[in-house]
Amino acid sequence: KDDQLVELEKLQRKCEDAEKDAHKELQMWTEHTDEQGQKFYYNRDQQRSVWTDPRPARCHALYLQMKALRVLSSHCGQAAGRI
């Protein structure tokens, strides 16, 4: 059981780091409209533009990581965030 708690703590730290990284990454994307009226998204750090908004996918991936942590925590009898 102690090994499980150690692994959960590692996972929790990874989730916390992923959340911080996601916030930074999401702030880099801005929405724009081209001459034809079509929306596109630009990342100023990467100097890259895309037609599909990448922010929802990043948020969903982070949500799934946090959900997995909650499920594993409850399986081990711990509350997520209190490991």
Side-chain angles (χ1 to χ4, degrees), residues 14-29 43 46 52-66:
K14 284 177 83 170
C15 279
E16 289 168 356
D17 290 344
E19 184 176 16
K20 289 175 191 170
D21 291 345
H23 283 290
K24 288 178 192 172
E25 182 183 329
L26 295 174
Q27 290 178 3
M28 294 299 125
W29 289 100
N43 183 311
Q46 298 175 0
T52 304
D53 188 349
R55 297 171 294 186
R58 184 69 168 105
C59 289
H60 187 66
L62 183 61
Y63 165 78
L64 291 175
Q65 284 180 305
M66 293 176 152

Side-chain angles (χ1 to χ4, degrees), residues 25-65:
E25 182 183 329
L26 295 174
Q27 290 178 3
M28 294 299 125
W29 289 100
T30 52
E31 184 178 301
H32 303 273
T33 305
D34 69 9
E35 300 82 24
Q36 289 81 35
Q38 187 170 2
K39 287 183 184 179
F40 68 95
Y41 302 86
Y42 180 72
N43 183 311
R44 64 180 173 265
D45 277 5
Q46 298 175 0
Q47 296 186 342
R48 186 178 124 206
S49 60
V50 295
W51 294 113
T52 304
D53 188 349
R55 297 171 294 186
R58 184 69 168 105
C59 289
H60 187 66
L62 183 61
Y63 165 78
L64 291 175
Q65 284 180 305

